[in-house]
Amino acid sequence: MNNTLLIVVIILVMIWLVKRQLQERRIKVVNMWILPLIMLYLSYNVMHKDFVADMFHILVIMLGFVIGILLGILRGALTEIRVDPHSKEIIAKGSLIGVIVWLILIGIKLLLRQELTGIWSHANLITSGLLALSLGTVISRRAYIFWKYKKLSN
């Protein structure tokens, strides 16, 4: 019964997030960097031990980060951006393709975590690599949106 409730809650949260991604929302330029900074701080606290483990750990984390950057750029390119001429706020709306890419990413991360954790003893490394991927995605998507904002506001 507990697992069923958890699955229902996860599905409801995912539906809410998808709905939110497809709606236009106003973003203040200053506020758009709060989440990446919080994620950077939290990610460092989780991953810092993997950086001193060995070169393989560092490569896995860096690979996750680079893949995340590329996926964030893709998601940023798929986001519709306008600039409010009066308030200079960003008006962003995710596209359906961008949301599908996001859902596929979440699915791949969950699948990899579940499949590799059982056969590979480096569960912390898997978590760090996926965390780096998420961090790279968030940072590069925000940077891409900021770049689009600067381009549109000139």
Side-chain angles (χ1 to χ4, degrees), residues 45-140:
N45 285 322
V46 170
M47 295 186 298
H48 75 278
K49 292 177 185 168
D50 287 324
F51 277 116
V52 295
D54 62 26
M55 192 56 143
F56 178 70
H57 286 85
I58 294 170
L59 289 175
V60 168
I61 292 169
M62 288 297 133
L63 179 64
F65 190 70
V66 168
I67 292 170
I69 288 172
L70 296 174
L71 291 170
I73 290 170
L74 173 64
R75 288 200 59 223
L78 294 172
T79 302
E80 297 173 30
I81 301 289
R82 292 184 298 121
V83 177
D84 184 324
H86 303 291
S87 67
K88 298 295 184 195
E89 289 177 322
I90 300 169
I91 302 169
K93 178 182 177 189
S95 70
L96 185 57
I97 294 172
V99 170
I100 290 170
V101 168
W102 177 71
L103 289 171
I104 289 170
L105 272 176
I106 290 173
I108 289 171
K109 284 173 31 176
L110 292 174
L111 183 68
L112 283 176
R113 183 176 293 175
Q114 181 178 356
E115 292 301 316
L116 293 179
T117 301
I119 59 174
W120 194 19
S121 63
H122 296 291
N124 287 342
L125 181 58
I126 295 168
T127 304
S128 292
L130 294 174
L131 195 57
L133 186 139
S134 297
L135 182 63
T137 302
V138 168
I139 290 172
S140 63

Side-chain angles (χ1 to χ4, degrees), residues 134-153:
S134 297
L135 182 63
T137 302
V138 168
I139 290 172
S140 63
R141 180 171 183 253
R142 300 284 169 103
Y144 192 90
I145 289 171
F146 182 73
W147 174 76
K148 273 183 160 177
Y149 162 76
K150 284 299 208 182
K151 190 174 170 185
L152 289 173
S153 60

Side-chain angles (χ1 to χ4, degrees), residues 7-50:
I7 291 170
V8 169
V9 169
I10 290 172
I11 290 171
L12 290 175
V13 168
M14 293 300 290
I15 290 170
W16 178 77
L17 288 171
V18 167
K19 184 179 177 236
R20 187 170 179 255
Q21 285 289 317
L22 294 174
Q23 293 175 334
E24 277 192 350
R25 61 190 187 282
R26 293 181 171 273
I27 303 170
K28 292 187 176 159
V29 178
V30 174
N31 294 346
M32 72 185 289
W33 298 109
I34 293 172
L35 178 64
L37 288 173
I38 291 170
M39 284 183 69
L40 188 62
Y41 174 76
L42 294 174
S43 298
Y44 173 77
N45 285 322
V46 170
M47 295 186 298
H48 75 278
K49 292 177 185 168
D50 287 324

